Amino acid sequence: MLDPDSGLSLTIARIVQRLKGSSLHSQLERQARVSLHKPEIKLESLKEDIKNFLKTSGWEKKLQNAVYSELNVFPSPCHPAAPPEHMKEPLAYMRKAQGSWEKRILKSLNSMCTELSIPLAQKRPLTEQKELLNKWNEMGTDEPDLSLFRPVYAPKDFLEVLMNLRNPNYENGEQPSFRNHLGLIQVPLKVKDIPELKEDFSELGLNIGQLGIDDSAQVPPEFFENEHVRVGQKVLAEQDSAAAQQYVRQGCPTALRPELWALILNISNQPEDILYYEQLKSNVIQYDLLVDSLIYKDVKLTASNDDYYFVFEDYLYQVLLCFSRDTSVLEHFTYSSATPPKSYIRGKLGMEEYAVFYPPNGVIPFHGFSMYVAPLCFLYHEPSKLYQIFREMYVRFFFRLHSISSHPSGIVSLCLLFETLLQTHLPQLFYHLREIGAQPLRISFKWMVRAFSGYLATDQLLLLWDRILGYNSLEILAVLAAAVFAFRAVNLMEVTSLAAAEAVLADLSTLKVMPLLQIFLFATVT
Amino acid sequence: MSGAAGPPAGPGRSPLPCAPRPAAALQLSGGAEPARPGVAVIDLRLPRGAAADVQEIVFRNFYTAFLSVRVQRLGPAGPRRWVTCLRDYCLMPCPHTEEGSQDYFSLRRHQMLCDMDQVTAVRFILRQPSPVWLHFTIEELQIFPPGQKSPQKDFPSWLSQLTPPEQPASLHGELPDPEKVSTEVQQMWVLTEVIRARQAAARIGRFDVDGCYDINLLSYT
């Protein structure tokens, strides 16, 4: 806990330091230098004139957006006495749980290597490199035999871990008592109740226009839509990230979505970004990693079988393979509870100067990982831009869905929020499902881990992700999961087994997310 | 105190030497079973006879919801007196849940209700109204005297270089010949291009070591 003043100066210091090393910094310097040749820059008022020039030429806006992006991504600074792991996760038992979960993953990966006797990473022979380069755009046509590979873990395994998570300082009696939660998650995190959520998501209120709702009786929907598109164009013309973020809370018009999301995530796809992507591509060509097979397998098992996403198979390989080689992803481990796996170059075991992270980005894909990328393929067709958007979405949001932490957007909090909402607002349903052995979280967990990707129709999914970006929070996922149960409550009250309950909730592709969210948050008597 | 391995104090900043006693829970006399009263006390005494001024108290919370601090001070001319300098300071906004439960806190002089000069002993009164926690205390307790660097200045050196004194470049006096400048601009442009290209190269993170990334197994440590 820092007092506000020192917290602010620390934040400012960190942002200044980070921006100093960025290409934006050198660009700004360059522009300032170039501006010296302009007649309106006077010597006697040099500083003010250059400031004015940077303002009118739009560079100030770029700087603002960069600062805003930093503020959105990085957590506020910790107390100076706190060790670095405190920033990753303040609760010691959560850090420990994440650590032992990682160890399990490492063991599983190592035993796969040993069983199949293949190394984790090796250089490709030149002929293979050429071959891969030639079929870069049609990697999906390749049908390697992956029957021996298995996903390192699936959401179901992860849920088992979260269910067994306990605070050792909490009275966890064997006997059921007021201290035990009735759901599966047993950690005492603070989650929001409906009044707090109503306040947070006030822009989703009943009397505020939303894209994704077209049932207004009094006003024709075009009235709001046309106006909303007009405002959206204005936001884009202004190139202001903060305004764009506020704007998407009411939903993005389809035509403007790619640009608005890029603006919020501060992705501009500059020539150096394209160069960076090409470099990643050449790293894919050079090195053969075991995780590539896991990625292949995952795409084949998930996206390739999906009615909406199978067409993007080739894009998915490109993005995910490049992602695994991207060392800039490692940066997110400063604020994530996870730690990247470590290894040593062959024959140099234990020598610190030969220690490396594996995979180079530190992220081991799990079953369903490719579904984080798939919906984005609808928005971006240029691989380098698609790639950057995905990477930014991952380091801002998606990593929280598969690591154990106490963060309000972390998967543990989402699970607890979901269970608490359901239990307080549909107690009978919750009790019924629990009694028949169909704990609601067993059904909804996979939706939340994948941020509903692959479960909702694409247009609905994008409307949902609009709100994730708009509120810079994943809590909406838990609210939607609870809303889906509320919507199907009548049918669910009649089922008598987990399988039957799963069948009732098997197909979410016909659901309209915005009406569900609105009704659950604002039209239910609390 | 279990936080024996506390964070190392930065150079130029050393806490007062003092050994806090372990937290003692409030007990009712005659109670056979140890009840959980929700109140505990940690006493901290400066070495015999010493009195010190206190600037800041730093600690890591462990499930304490509210904290009161009392200090024993040397009177201007008279016996030592106990005074309350902090009353029910909230460490956990919602005592039943985790928020703030393991966070680090600083209590500074200006937050206190009274002067913190000539202190001979400090008593921390810990309260935890929620019965769900088995144990509560505060750890890694450190007390800093004034006159030393405050923790904000204990940050890396780049922080202190944040706002360099404004030194307007002396442009008056002699200005270079515009002709000469324009010829040099070409060269500067090339240089900036070179620098830009180099920066891009620096950003491309290499994951191999000496061109090699052959790995067999993951390391468990």
Side-chain angles (χ1 to χ4, degrees):
Chain A
M1 283 275 150
L2 281 170
D3 60 74
D5 284 348
S6 56
L8 182 66
S9 53
L10 255 183
T11 308
I12 294 173
R14 195 200 58 218
I15 292 176
V16 169
Q17 198 213 14
R18 282 182 48 84
L19 291 183
K20 264 192 176 160
S22 71
S23 66
L24 179 66
H25 184 259
S26 47
Q27 277 174 320
L28 280 170
E29 250 179 21
R30 222 160 81 120
Q31 289 302 320
R33 217 172 296 145
V34 168
S35 76
L36 293 177
H37 300 289
K38 295 196 177 281
E40 64 266 27
I41 309 282
K42 304 267 189 314
L43 262 187
E44 50 271 26
S45 53
L46 188 67
K47 199 175 164 187
E48 284 310 305
D49 285 354
I50 289 184
K51 271 190 190 166
N52 272 334
F53 165 77
L54 291 176
K55 193 176 230 155
T56 49
S57 57
W59 283 97
E60 195 194 50
K61 206 49 142 257
K62 288 199 169 84
L63 180 61
Q64 268 176 20
N65 289 346
V67 171
Y68 191 69
S69 164
E70 291 286 325
L71 285 175
N72 263 332
V73 176
F74 282 87
S76 19
C78 280
H79 192 284
E85 68 260 26
H86 195 266
M87 169 128 145
K88 289 167 80 70
E89 167 54 50
L91 301 179
Y93 72 93
M94 289 261 184
R95 287 200 297 266
K96 209 174 141 201
Q98 172 66 26
S100 44
W101 169 236
E102 281 165 9
K103 203 156 250 179
R104 251 180 78 180
I105 298 174
L106 298 191
K107 276 188 185 152
S108 153
L109 208 56
N110 271 350
S111 67
M112 196 171 1
C113 283
T114 321
E115 272 169 42
L116 306 176
S117 52
I118 34 174
L120 284 172
Q122 59 189 340
K123 208 160 207 155
R124 265 183 239 278
L126 275 177
T127 48
E128 237 177 78
Q129 292 193 15
K130 259 187 203 142
E131 207 180 314
L132 182 60
L133 192 59
N134 287 333
K135 60 168 193 206
W136 179 256
N137 288 317
E138 45 197 45
M139 280 187 274
T141 55
D142 220 15
E143 295 279 346
D145 177 27
L146 296 171
S147 52
L148 293 172
F149 288 91
R150 49 176 197 272
V152 181
Y153 66 96
K156 220 168 58 185
D157 311 311
F158 190 42
L159 176 60
E160 293 298 321
V161 174
L162 299 190
M163 279 165 53
N164 291 316
L165 195 60
R166 295 285 184 284
N167 178 343
N169 192 38
Y170 193 80
E171 179 96 63
N172 293 300
E174 290 297 304
Q175 307 292 324
S177 75
F178 75 95
R179 296 185 187 96
N180 300 116
H181 295 246
L182 291 173
L184 297 175
I185 299 297
Q186 295 293 333
V187 282
L189 294 175
K190 167 90 178 83
V191 291
K192 289 173 184 156
D193 56 16
I194 291 260
E196 285 169 298
L197 290 169
K198 267 184 181 169
E199 207 178 308
D200 278 13
F201 295 109
S202 58
E203 288 89 350
L204 306 184
L206 293 175
N207 40 18
I208 292 175
Q210 296 291 329
L211 287 190
I213 292 180
D214 47 17
D215 55 357
S216 167
Q218 297 91 11
V219 195
E222 303 84 51
F223 190 74
F224 167 72
E225 279 166 24
N226 294 342
E227 172 67 11
H228 197 57
V229 170
R230 215 177 49 76
V231 177
Q233 282 158 344
K234 226 167 152 181
V235 169
L236 277 180
E238 282 291 312
Q239 281 296 301
D240 186 322
S241 294
Q245 193 171 34
Q246 180 64 36
Y247 174 83
V248 302
R249 293 180 175 189
Q250 286 168 275
C252 272
T254 311
L256 306 182
R257 185 173 281 124
E259 289 315 304
L260 281 165
W261 282 20
L263 182 55
I264 295 171
L265 298 169
N266 202 27
I267 298 295
S268 51
N269 204 23
Q270 299 285 312
E272 64 257 33
D273 300 320
I274 299 171
L275 194 72
Y276 187 76
Y277 178 76
E278 289 300 319
Q279 182 69 40
L280 293 175
K281 184 175 152 185
S282 80
N283 284 335
V284 176
I285 306 282
Q286 278 179 36
Y287 293 98
D288 184 16
L289 305 189
L290 174 91
V291 289
D292 297 355
S293 303
L294 298 176
I295 291 168
Y296 257 107
K297 179 106 182 180
D298 185 48
V299 172
K300 293 272 182 220
L301 285 177
T302 56
S304 301
N305 286 330
D306 190 289
D307 290 350
Y308 298 107
Y309 302 126
F310 72 95
V311 286
F312 300 122
E313 196 180 339
D314 295 327
Y315 274 155
L316 294 177
Y317 293 131
Q318 292 173 20
V319 167
L320 288 166
L321 293 180
C322 286
F323 182 66
S324 70
R325 269 76 167 175
D326 191 346
T327 51
S328 72
V329 178
L330 291 170
E331 203 170 53
H332 90 281
F333 288 109
T334 53
Y335 53 90
S336 156
S337 64
T339 309
K342 214 173 97 176
S343 183
Y344 295 93
I345 301 292
R346 189 181 301 157
K348 311 280 183 187
L349 189 71
M351 295 164 75
E352 278 312 307
E353 60 270 40
Y354 291 95
V356 289
F357 291 119
Y358 182 88
N361 72 345
V363 182
I364 293 177
F366 59 93
H367 181 60
F369 194 83
S370 44
M371 296 308 276
Y372 292 145
V373 191
L376 301 173
C377 298
F378 275 101
L379 303 182
Y380 306 95
H381 304 299
E382 197 186 333
S384 77
K385 187 151 193 185
L386 169 65
Y387 175 73
Q388 291 168 62
I389 296 280
F390 164 67
R391 183 182 60 193
E392 196 62 24
M393 289 288 278
Y394 182 81
V395 300
R396 284 195 191 199
F397 304 111
F398 297 145
F399 75 94
R400 298 202 186 276
L401 295 175
H402 55 91
S403 48
I404 303 172
S405 85
S406 61
H407 192 276
S409 279
I411 188 70
V412 186
S413 298
L414 297 187
C415 290
L416 191 60
L417 177 59
F418 163 77
E419 290 190 323
T420 315
L421 286 176
L422 206 58
Q423 198 193 329
T424 36
H425 295 279
L426 296 153
Q428 280 180 322
L429 176 66
F430 191 89
Y431 182 78
H432 170 70
L433 290 174
R434 190 176 178 271
E435 285 303 292
I436 61 165
Q439 275 278 4
L441 186 61
R442 287 205 184 275
I443 300 169
S444 65
F445 186 71
K446 52 186 183 295
W447 306 339
M448 292 193 284
V449 170
R450 286 196 192 172
F452 281 93
S453 173
Y455 295 102
L456 296 171
T458 320
D459 60 328
Q460 296 301 310
L461 183 81
L462 295 175
L463 286 169
L464 179 68
W465 286 16
D466 279 345
R467 273 73 183 185
I468 292 180
L469 282 162
Y471 291 100
N472 197 34
S473 154
L474 293 165
E475 282 159 301
I476 197 90
L477 297 176
V479 180
L480 179 63
V484 170
F485 272 76
F487 184 62
R488 296 266 192 249
V490 179
N491 307 63
L492 287 171
M493 282 304 285
E494 283 165 18
V495 301
T496 51
S497 70
L498 174 63
E502 270 173 342
V504 168
L505 295 165
D507 183 13
L508 308 186
S509 64
T510 54
L511 297 181
K512 301 272 179 236
V513 296
M514 291 323 294
L516 283 186
L517 285 170
Q518 263 197 339
I519 291 168
F520 189 80
L521 282 176
F522 294 95
T524 313
V525 182
T526 51
Chain B
M1 182 168 132
S2 59
R13 182 174 187 245
S14 50
L16 291 171
C18 49
R21 289 186 208 158
L26 191 74
Q27 292 291 347
L28 292 178
S29 59
E33 276 201 17
R36 259 187 249 160
V39 182
V41 170
I42 292 180
D43 272 333
L44 186 147
R45 196 167 286 279
L46 291 173
R48 184 178 296 273
D53 298 352
V54 173
Q55 173 64 29
E56 187 181 7
I57 302 172
V58 176
F59 62 90
R60 184 167 76 94
N61 187 23
F62 190 81
Y63 295 94
T64 301
F66 302 98
L67 178 70
S68 299
V69 180
R70 281 168 69 80
V71 289
Q72 193 188 43
R73 293 187 305 183
L74 287 179
R80 297 170 176 190
R81 286 186 51 214
W82 282 99
V83 257
T84 303
C85 57
L86 191 70
R87 192 168 276 133
D88 285 340
Y89 182 74
C90 178
L91 306 178
M92 289 169 70
C94 175
H96 296 305
T97 61
E98 297 277 8
E99 202 183 335
S101 62
Q102 300 188 24
D103 279 353
Y104 284 81
F105 289 88
S106 274
L107 303 172
R108 300 217 172 80
R109 209 179 165 83
H110 64 85
Q111 291 169 279
M112 304 296 185
L113 299 169
C114 63
D115 279 349
M116 299 289 280
D117 297 332
Q118 294 296 297
V119 172
T120 53
V122 189
R123 168 167 288 183
F124 297 88
I125 302 161
L126 286 50
R127 285 173 214 272
Q128 179 47 272
S130 170
V132 300
W133 314 110
L134 297 175
H135 175 64
F136 64 91
T137 182
I138 55 176
E139 297 174 341
E140 297 174 27
L141 192 56
Q142 289 179 304
I143 296 187
F144 293 94
Q148 296 187 346
K149 285 178 166 186
S150 76
Q152 285 106 315
K153 296 197 186 104
D154 203 7
F155 299 136
S157 58
W158 49 263
L159 249 172
S160 51
Q161 293 162 7
L162 257 187
T163 40
E166 296 281 331
Q167 283 181 344
S170 142
L171 286 164
H172 311 282
E174 51 180 297
L175 277 172
D177 174 18
E179 291 288 328
K180 198 165 158 255
V181 170
S182 65
T183 55
E184 279 170 4
V185 163
Q186 282 292 333
Q187 202 195 343
M188 271 173 66
W189 174 78
V190 173
L191 281 175
T192 50
E193 286 301 307
V194 169
I195 288 168
R196 217 164 69 106
R198 282 214 188 122
Q199 271 186 346
R203 272 185 61 208
I204 293 172
R206 300 206 68 87
F207 52 82
D208 51 2
V209 181
D210 304 336
C212 179
Y213 192 70
D214 289 356
I215 304 172
N216 280 345
L217 292 172
L218 292 171
S219 154
Y220 291 130
T221 50

